[in-house]
Every structure is written in structure tokens, then in C-alpha cells.
Amino acid sequence: MTKARDAIVVGLGASGGIIAAELAKSGVKVTALEKGPHYSQDYFREKHDEIRYYTRGALVPHLSHNPITWRERDGETAKILPWATGPLGTTEPLHLPPSIGTGGGTLHWGGAVWRHRKADFHMRTSLIERFGEAALPEGNSIVDWPFGYDDLEAYYDRVEWELGVSGQAGNINGELMPGGNPFEMPRKRGYPMPPLRSAAANSRFVEACRRLGLNPFPQAAAIASQDYKNLKGCTYCGFCHGYPCHVNAKQTSHVTSVPDGLASGNMEIIPFARVVSVNHRGGRAKGVTYIDALGRAQELEADIVVLATYSLENTRLLLVSGLNGNGQVGKHFMTHCFGWSTGVVPEFSNTFMGPLVGAHVVDDYTSELIPDNEDGVLWGSPITSFPGDTQPIEASHNTPPGMRKWGADYKKWFADSYRRIFSMHTQTSSLPYEGGYCDLDPNVTDPYGQPALRMTHEWKPHDIQSMAFFRRVKQNIAREMGIKEFWEEPSPPPYHLSTHEVGTHRMGLDPKESVVDPYGHSHECENLYVVGGGQFPTLPSYNPTMTIQALAFMTADRIAERV
């Protein structure tokens, strides 16, 4: 059966939800295809279930039906993500592809939002000016973005005020604001909501950082600190990262964007629709083929096709559809290393309460602010307090090294320490390099016979050195906080997936060296858009979602002018 629409949007997450809704509101007839269910706004009223969402991964795509493989380097046989399979694997959403269903990754995200720094848009130029070209790692493919912070500022503002962000501004039109981030890039106005309240142990982090001469400030959050538009004020229940929100305090596209698109009368959603190819001919996309809920192949046609299925699935769909004319699809894979560090504070911290982003951050070492160092670290990271939002099963997977997971000693430690846990983390950025890429796995297929996406990535010396640098910084903060026990994740970590994967359909102005233009418009198919973090030329150390949302608004504006 063939149907005709103005636009097809594949995926209703951070990008697709915005683009579908904005196009529908502008009068474009949109059909949205979503691999998962269509969730209503009140679907998650009962969600306080750690076994369902953390242990069994109710929101994330299961690897049995959506396999992704990984290997460290060329010549090795890739395996289905080993950190998420086998007896020690978990369905921890941070190390699997994002959730599916209306809302996508914004269903389970923690809600940390950042405007990138000016230097983040010009990483290559910034590094060469400071360290010289010889300091760049061999085989790197670091480039500048095709636009700068000032070009995106209005779209950042739109995300904050149209979708809703809580926070304390640090720099309005060049004037530093008390209590905000003193290193923040200039903004035209503040946030629409005040910052969230912080969990108990956060105050130790703030006081220790100030004694060390650092500048902590409240994390900006895509979680409502009070009622705002479609969002309700946070109840600080503690089931936040990895969980949907039961009161709709979290900014997710199934609450903030999709309802407005549906209300326009120009948008329809087909749930449980698994897109298997982009159909194209003569440099134009005709539409897509998808498998419906009954397992039948269906075709849809439209004047515009938008792929918004996360960087990795976008990449797989381009490759299986034969859209890689210049060989750039899948290259420049980048991800974050979180550098988790955990300790036990003297008093009860009630770590099971509050959202992850009810916390303070130190930006003194972020991006180009990294001080001169002998470790060879080129690009820095924020240091973020993590004082709450940790439920018991998750905590049991992060006990001190060497501790057995059974027996009297384990029970005593958990009884004494679980309610006193405090964590902090960094986000060091991997750099794009020649050997880090994604392609189609020749050995593993999904239940529909399509090849799995294969990731080839190893933590390089720069990654290891960055982890070592920030380990010392965090240890210093922990000592100043009076933390009794302190331990950190292994270096390098076992995972190579952080839900911050970017770069695999890079944007640029040169059709020979990139896949899409700054609007996500394909260089190869004139009416195909491929959007999301896959567009990023480099990966800043900040969480990418707010920039992905800003790019989505920019893309929607461009498409609406063309239709």
C-alpha cells in the first residue's frame, strides 16, 4: 500500500518530536513513524519500579531485536555490546541506545542541559592556536563546526523558553550574574524557571569547591522547578535518570512537542513502525519502507523525509539504504567517558531522593579552560555533583572495588553506606580519529535479516590521560569534602556507548567531506534530512541534547520554508 504525505519524520525523540510538531504547526502534513509505542501524557503515572526500568530496560531497545556490535579495532570480530550482555551485563540506559517510543531518549534522560561554549564550535582552531598542530593526535579528524555560537544563540533561547529549562543565568549580555556560571557564554536573557533544589550531600560539594577556589553553580535542567506550560513542578521522587517522569516535570518531546503537533490536525503517528530503508532514485528520496506492528512491509511516500532515529540508527539506515556515495557515513565516531567517582559521606545523604540534575557543577576546567598540564590533556570537562537519584539496585552495581555482592560483609556495608553515598563525574570527550567508525556487521543480523551496526572504537591515549587528570581533581575535591571511602570506575571503562554518540553523519559545507549541511540536509539526496547528534563535527564535554534540540528547531524552520 502506498500513501502520500508532505513529510515523513522517522523517530519522535529529541529531534524528531520537535521537527514533526513544528512542521505540523506550520501547515505541513506530517506522518511520524515511531519504532516503539505512542505514549500518552499520563502513561507513566506508575513508574517507581527499578526492576522494570533499570534491570529489565523496559524503555530501551533490546539487543535481541536491535543488535549493535562493538570491537576495539580493525581485524577483530565484533561482539554484541559486551558491557550490556552476559552474566555481568545490565540494561543501564546510559550504556545502551536511547529509549524508543514517543519521547525517545528524552524519556529516560537525566535532563542536564548546556549551551556549548564558543570554543566548542571551533575546537580545531582553538587547539592549534594554543598548542600547535603537532599537538593534535595522529590520525585525528578534528574540524571546526560550519557555524558558531552566535548563530545558534537564538535557538538555544528558544529551547529554554518554548520547552522549559530551570537554571541560574551566569552571563546576560556580557554582565556576570551572581550565583551563575562565571564562565558561561553571553545570553540574551535568563532561564524561565529558577534552579531545582539540591539533594543533601550537594552542599558538601559546593562548600569544598569554594574552599579550593573553584566556582560551583547550579546545573541548568530540563526539569521544571515549578509549573511551566505543559510541565509540572518536580516532586523530587528520585526516580529520574533512566525513568520516565510520572508528573511530567521532565522535558520530553511526548509532553512538550508532540501534543501541540497532534493538536494542529496536521500530524499522525504510526507506532511500532520499524523503518528498514530510505527509498530513493536519481538523487531524491521517495519515502521509506517500514515493518508495521503486524510484521507487514509497508511503503510511505512524501516530498520530504527526515531521519531522526539517533546517530547510530540514522547511520545504519543510511548504510542499508545505499546512501554513502562519498564514503563519509559512519566515520568520526565520538562518545563520552563519564569518569564516575563515588564516595561515602559521614552523614545521611538520602541518595535515593531528588533528580540527578539537582546538583552543582564546576566549569573551571571545561573545554578550552583546561589549564596547562603535563598529561597532554587538550580539552577539559565540567565536574558535576551527583548527590541523589540513585536507587538500591543501581547502587549495588557501584560498590567499592573487590567487594563481594553477597554475604554478611556486603549486607553490613550496604546497610551502613547506601544512604550516605555521594557521586561526582566528568565527561571527557573522545576525539574523532581514522580508526573510530561505524559500519555494517558482516556476521550479525536482526530478526528481519538486516545487518547490525558495528562500532569500532578504542579509548586512545588522550582519553586515558584525560581520565587520569580529572581523577586527581576529583580526589582533591573528595578529600576536601571529608569523604571516608572513595572509588572510581576502571580506566579505561568497559563501555563504549554513553547515549552521547555523535559525529557519524557529520555536517559540513563540503559535500566531499561531510554527509549533511548545517540544517541536516543530505548532500546526496536533495529532499532527505538526517538530524541529531550524528551531525556534530566534534563532541564538546557538555551533554549534547540541548544543542540537538536547537539544531532541530533550525532544521524545522528551514524545511517549513521549502515545503
Side-chain angles (χ1 to χ4, degrees), residues 344-363:
V344 179
V345 296
E347 67 280 352
F348 285 145
S349 62
N350 289 341
T351 189
F352 48 85
M353 297 176 65
L356 172 154
V357 286
H360 274 61
V361 187
V362 167
D363 230 1

Side-chain angles (χ1 to χ4, degrees), residues 153-416:
E153 198 279 336
Y155 289 102
Y156 279 138
D157 180 86
R158 197 167 163 187
V159 172
E160 291 166 355
W161 285 83
E162 288 195 21
L163 304 183
V165 171
S166 304
Q168 171 61 52
N171 182 338
I172 298 180
N173 295 317
E175 181 181 355
L176 296 184
M177 298 287 109
N181 179 5
F183 305 106
E184 186 179 61
M185 295 296 99
R187 56 172 55 245
K188 295 291 191 298
R189 55 179 171 171
Y191 294 98
M193 292 174 280
L196 292 162
R197 299 195 306 271
S198 299
N202 186 63
S203 59
R204 273 187 177 267
F205 175 83
V206 172
E207 292 161 5
C209 288
R210 286 175 178 158
R211 288 195 297 272
L212 293 170
L214 303 174
N215 296 277
F217 58 91
Q219 167 76 64
I223 295 175
S225 57
Q226 59 193 30
D227 290 358
Y228 184 79
K229 294 189 171 181
N230 288 352
L231 303 178
K232 298 297 181 185
C234 179
T235 61
Y236 300 86
C237 71
F239 288 79
C240 196
H241 82 284
Y243 298 86
C245 184
H246 68 299
V247 296
N248 292 338
K250 189 189 295 188
Q251 184 208 96
T252 71
S253 59
H254 92 288
V255 174
T256 53
S257 300
V258 171
D260 291 342
L262 293 172
S264 73
N266 293 322
M267 177 177 168
E268 66 169 348
I269 298 174
I270 302 179
F272 301 109
R274 182 188 187 93
V275 173
V276 293
S277 68
V278 177
N279 303 324
H280 58 97
R281 180 183 299 164
R284 285 186 59 83
K286 294 174 55 184
V288 300
T289 298
Y290 69 94
I291 306 298
D292 70 13
L294 299 178
R296 302 170 302 192
Q298 304 278 7
E299 288 188 13
L300 279 184
E301 294 184 353
D303 295 329
I304 298 288
V305 175
V306 179
L307 293 186
T309 65
Y310 193 59
S311 58
L312 300 184
E313 181 63 4
N314 277 353
T315 300
R316 196 187 71 83
L317 284 172
L318 289 174
L319 293 173
V320 298
S321 302
L323 289 167
N324 187 22
N326 63 4
Q328 288 292 314
V329 175
K331 290 189 173 181
H332 318 298
F333 174 88
M334 292 168 280
T335 188
H336 274 145
C337 173
F338 287 125
W340 295 114
S341 302
T342 306
V344 179
V345 296
E347 67 280 352
F348 285 145
S349 62
N350 289 341
T351 189
F352 48 85
M353 297 176 65
L356 172 154
V357 286
H360 274 61
V361 187
V362 167
D363 230 1
D364 298 59
Y365 302 113
T366 296
S367 300
E368 85 285 4
L369 300 175
I370 186 78
D372 291 338
N373 61 88
E374 297 180 353
D375 299 271
V377 179
L378 302 174
W379 209 248
S381 165
I383 303 163
T384 305
S385 163
F386 193 151
D389 196 8
T390 303
Q391 298 306 313
I393 298 174
E394 182 181 8
S396 73
H397 289 148
N398 184 24
T399 51
M403 174 172 286
R404 295 183 302 182
K405 303 291 186 183
W406 70 89
D409 290 345
Y410 173 68
K411 291 179 180 177
K412 183 178 187 311
W413 184 90
F414 212 82
D416 290 344

Side-chain angles (χ1 to χ4, degrees), residues 470-487:
F470 281 103
R471 186 183 308 116
R472 293 195 298 274
V473 174
K474 287 178 285 186
Q475 287 171 344
N476 198 28
I477 294 173
R479 280 193 295 271
E480 189 66 27
M481 289 178 66
I483 284 179
K484 296 191 296 183
E485 291 181 271
F486 190 69
W487 63 97

Side-chain angles (χ1 to χ4, degrees), residues 422-446:
F422 169 85
S423 296
M424 54 180 145
H425 69 96
T426 45
Q427 285 187 166
T428 49
S429 307
S430 66
L431 303 175
Y433 69 100
E434 187 176 353
Y437 64 94
C438 296
D439 62 358
L440 298 177
D441 194 301
N443 303 312
V444 179
T445 58
D446 67 18

